[in-house]
Each structure stands twice: as C-alpha cells, then as structure tokens.
C-alpha cells in the first residue's frame, strides 16, 4: 500500500468510525460518484454500508451491478467486488430515493392507527401536498435518513444529496415540514370542526364561519371538507414529524456519528460554493472540514520538450507521429499535429490553474479542514472498476 496523505488518512478514519457521511456540493461535481466510491471502500474495509442516491442515473445502478435502483434497499452483488479482484470484509447496499414513496412510508410510520393512515393517504389535499413535497428532495432525503439511521441495519449510511443552490436547504430540511404544519396553522383549519369533529358549517359562528363560507363559495364545500379532514388527521401526526425532525437535526450535528464531505470541482464558481458551504457548516457547529476536489487536471508539472517554441512534442516524437499519420493516409498532418499541441498546452494550463485553486483552498482551510483530490479520469466513471479507481485516489490505495 502506498503511503496515505493526511487527508486520505482522515477520510479512511471517517469511513471506519462514523455512521453517516453526507456528500454535498454544487451540480455535476461528482457527489453521486463520490458517494458510491466511499460506500464501496467502506464495504471493502468491513462495514455494513448503504449508499443512498437521489440520482435517477441508470448508469450508476449498472456500474454497481444492478438493473436499476429503486426505493428499496438492494444488495450489491459480491461478484462485482470479486470480479475486480477485491474481497469485501463487509457489505454494500444501494437505493435510490423515490420521493413519493418515501413520503407515503413516513405517513405509514407516524400514523397512530389504520384509520388515520387511510384518511391521510386517501385525501386529495394530502396527494397535492405530497406531490409538492416530493419535489423537495432534500426534505425527503432527511426523512429517509431517519429511517435508515434508526433501523440499525447499517453501520454506515452514505448520503448523496441533490445539487444545492442554497446550501442551507438540506441542513434546514428536516424541520421544515413540522414548522410549516405548525399547530397554529393546523388549528386554524381545524376550527370549524372542533365541536365534536362534525363536518359542515352549521355549527360555526364568527370569523371562521365567514372565511369558510367565502372559501366554500370559491372551492366548493366538498373540497373544503377535505381540507379540514386532512388537517384533522394530520394533527395526530404532528408529534411524529417533530420527533423525526429533532432526531435528524441531532444526527447531522453529532461529531461522533456524522461527517459532511464537501465535493467540488477545481473551477472557481464551484470552489466558492464549497467555501460557502463549509462556512455554513461551521456556523451551525456541524461536522464539516473535509473537501474533495474532483476532476482535477492531471498535468500541472508537464514541461514543453522544446522550451523556446513551447512545443510539448520533441522532434523525434513529431517525426514518429507524422510518419504514422501519413501511412494511415491522413490528409493534413502538420495541421493535425499543431491542433494536438494546442490541445495539450491548454490541458496543461488548466491543470496549473486547478493546482493553484487547490492550493488556495488548502490555505483557506488551514488546519480546520482536509482537502482530498481526485484527478479527472480518462473516461467517465461508468462501471465498478471506475469507482474503484476513484477510491484509489480518495484513499491513496494504488498508484494512478
Ligand atoms: N474523477 C472523475 N473523472 C472522470 N469523470 C468523472 C469523475 N467524477 C465524476 N465523473 C463523471 O462526471 C459526471 C457527473 O458526476 P456525478 O453524477 O457524480 O455528479 P453529481 O455531483 O452527482 O451531479 P448532480 O449534481 O447532477 O447530481 C458523471 O458522468 C461522472 O461519471
Ligand atoms: Mg448526483
């Protein structure tokens, strides 16, 4: 094994000791890829791990050896590991967050009895609210997190998160519903029904009646009844939602159990977002302090073969290449070689920029945080081997 850098050691300790790793970051930087790679390494090291992704990408499922991912927890076939020459000491599961099903499941869990459950699930207002909340992936992720964490089925949950414009969304998501369904609001909707839970408007008096009559004119009394019925049923679920929100919020702040990993690309916008997110975590006393800079250019140290012309290909290499291109019947050999030179010098320049950005991030992070880097692989990461290659870089286990 190669010697691990301090950041790689840190990440190894995280997957060994923590029970929740949350991969966060802006869009397209490699959160899902990183989450899958971390899950694989944890399983290799002996943990019972699950990767929870919100990405509907079939390719990720395929790369893990599954036809598709669903809302259920699926075991990754052992053959996926052994085919690549690794013997996991633990196990790996994966699932994709199906936001609609997750919410229905929450109702199942928090409902005190069958009657409440079917009243809520069958209610038109619930279907509407559930549709709206289903679009809130971060909220659903925190609900799923609660289930997996409290189930005790896994030693480590690796949570992939949706890209975040506003980094606070996920951190605040767990309490959002219970705050929205604050008793005041629920109480307001319930008022017309409080006398013996009777339907209809005949028992009402005062402002409540007037408002309801007006709304009834607009929406129809039947719909209004459904709204009231929904909130009546939901009142019984509020305590359950509040409790779940508190558990998730506590878990996200627990330094012994949780670690946030901020994934970013070496480009400036992504780096800025990563710093901002890091600052948000610090402000909330949440366990951050670990960056993964992904898709880093590989050639920061490359020097031109000919310093005066700035050419990367030496004379010998140019002749060798020209011969082969000519033999293959290539029409414009010099122009082709020139394009190749230009492309490579741009790649080197980008790699130098990437390195500078990483150095800046490191000095920003100081001793508060660790920075791991993963190079941009030649191909997209589309199979188990690719994910293992990412692990090689993340954990410093093999040369690249
Ligand atoms: N180090 C890498 N080298 C090459 N390709 C990579 C690397 N990391 C990720 N990719 C590729 O980049 C693309 C985006 O990665 P991924 O889906 O993991 O990003 P994401 O942050 O989850 O995106 P989103 O925000 O859309 O969920 C994928 O096609 C993936 O295979
Ligand atoms: Mg993703």
């Amino acid at each position: 094994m190669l010697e691990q850098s301090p950041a790689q050691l840190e990440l190894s300790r995280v997957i060994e000791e923590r029970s929740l790793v949350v991969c966060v970051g802006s869009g397209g930087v490699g959160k899902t890829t990183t989450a899958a790679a971390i899950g694989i390494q944890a399983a290799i090291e002996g943990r019972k791990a699950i990767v929870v992704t919100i990405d509907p990408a079939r390719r990720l499922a395929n790369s893990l050896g599954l036809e598709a991912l669903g809302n259920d927890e699926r075991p990754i076939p052992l053959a996926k590991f052994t085919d690549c020459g690794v013997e996991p000491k633990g196990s790996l599961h994966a699932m994709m967050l199906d936001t609609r099903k997750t919410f229905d499941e929450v109702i199942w869990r928090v409902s005190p009895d069958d009657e409440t459950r079917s009243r809520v699930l069958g209610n038109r207002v619930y279907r509407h609210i559930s549709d709206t909340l289903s679009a809130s992936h971060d909220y659903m992720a925190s609900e799923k997190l609660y289930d997996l964490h409290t189930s005790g089925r896994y030693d480590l949950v690796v949570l992939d998160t949706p890209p975040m414009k506003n980094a606070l969304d996920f951190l605040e998501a767990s309490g959002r519903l219970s705050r929205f369904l604050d008793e005041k609001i629920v109480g307001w909707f319930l008022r017309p029904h409080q006398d013996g839970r009777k339907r209809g408007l005949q028992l009402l008096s005062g402002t409540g009646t007037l408002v309801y009559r007006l709304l009834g004119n607009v929406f129809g009394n039947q719909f209004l009844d459904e709204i009231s019925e929904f909130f009546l049923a939901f009142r019984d679920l509020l305590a359950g939602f509040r409790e779940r929100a508190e558990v998730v919020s506590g878990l996200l702040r627990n330094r012994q159990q949780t670690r946030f990993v901020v994934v970013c690309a070496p480009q400036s916008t992504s780096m800025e977002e990563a710093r901002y997110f890091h600052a948000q975590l610090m402000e909330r006393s949440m366990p951050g302090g670990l960056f993964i800079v992904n898709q880093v250019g590989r050639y920061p140290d490359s020097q031109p073969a000919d310093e005066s012309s700035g050419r990367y290909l030496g004379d010998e290499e140019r002749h060798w290449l020209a011969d082969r291109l000519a033999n293959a019947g290539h029409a414009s050999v010099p122009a082709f070689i020139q394009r190749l030179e230009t492309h490579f010098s741009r790649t080197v320049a980008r790699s130098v920029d990437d390195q500078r950005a990483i150095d800046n991030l490191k000095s920003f992070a100081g001793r508060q945080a660790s920075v791991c880097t993963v190079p941009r692989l030649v191909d997209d990461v589309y199979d188990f081997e690719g994910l293992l290659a990412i692990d090689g870089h993340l954990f410093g286990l093999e040369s690249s």
Side-chain angles (χ1 to χ4, degrees), residues 108 210 353:
W108 269 89
L210 185 63
D353 287 347

Side-chain angles (χ1 to χ4, degrees), residues 28 30-33 53-55 160-163:
K31 297 175 294 298
T32 305
T33 308
T53 172
I54 43 89
D55 229 312
D160 174 30
T161 58

Side-chain angles (χ1 to χ4, degrees), residues 60-222:
L60 178 79
N62 293 346
S63 69
L64 292 170
L66 302 172
E67 271 289 297
L69 286 171
N71 205 42
D72 51 333
E73 300 151 37
R74 301 193 181 165
I76 306 305
L78 183 65
K80 274 283 144 190
F81 291 85
T82 51
D83 286 354
C84 294
V86 276
E87 228 21 274
K89 295 193 213 112
S91 63
L92 182 63
H93 281 70
M95 62 169 291
M96 191 188 82
L97 196 62
D98 177 329
T99 50
R100 180 40 151 310
K101 286 201 185 122
T102 299
F103 200 41
D104 285 355
E105 279 170 20
V106 173
I107 301 297
W108 269 89
R109 299 232 169 80
V110 298
S111 296
D113 52 55
D114 286 348
E115 201 210 322
T116 312
R117 180 178 304 145
S118 31
R119 258 198 300 155
V120 173
L121 290 177
N123 185 290
R124 265 195 299 168
V125 183
Y126 167 74
R127 299 316 306 169
H128 182 72
I129 289 193
S130 145
D131 280 346
T132 311
L133 275 171
S134 294
S136 168
H137 287 279
D138 45 8
Y139 168 72
M140 290 303 160
S142 84
E143 286 295 348
K144 184 45 84 180
L145 184 57
Y146 174 90
D147 287 339
L148 293 171
H149 174 68
T150 50
S151 78
R153 287 192 295 280
Y154 302 98
D155 307 328
L156 175 68
V157 177
V158 186
L159 182 66
D160 174 30
T161 58
M164 269 163 293
K165 268 212 200 79
N166 180 357
L168 303 180
D169 281 358
F170 180 71
L171 306 181
E172 305 297 347
S174 60
R176 199 180 303 149
L177 184 66
S178 61
R179 274 197 304 278
F180 165 67
L181 292 174
D182 181 275
E183 250 144 24
K184 274 196 284 236
I185 297 176
V186 176
W188 191 86
F189 277 100
L190 286 180
R191 222 168 273 158
H193 285 301
Q194 266 170 359
D195 270 340
R197 293 188 168 196
K198 287 199 181 135
R199 285 166 172 248
L201 301 168
Q202 63 274 29
L203 293 170
L204 298 174
S205 60
T207 327
T209 320
L210 185 63
V211 171
Y212 259 69
R213 208 167 273 150
L214 282 172
L215 288 174
N217 281 336
V218 179
F219 297 111
N221 285 341
Q222 201 197 338

Side-chain angles (χ1 to χ4, degrees), residues 27-33 55 59 163 294-295 375 377 379-381 390:
V29 292
K31 297 175 294 298
T32 305
T33 308
D55 229 312
R59 234 167 51 159
N294 187 30
Q295 309 218 32
L377 303 185
D379 284 325
D380 246 22
V381 182
I390 299 276

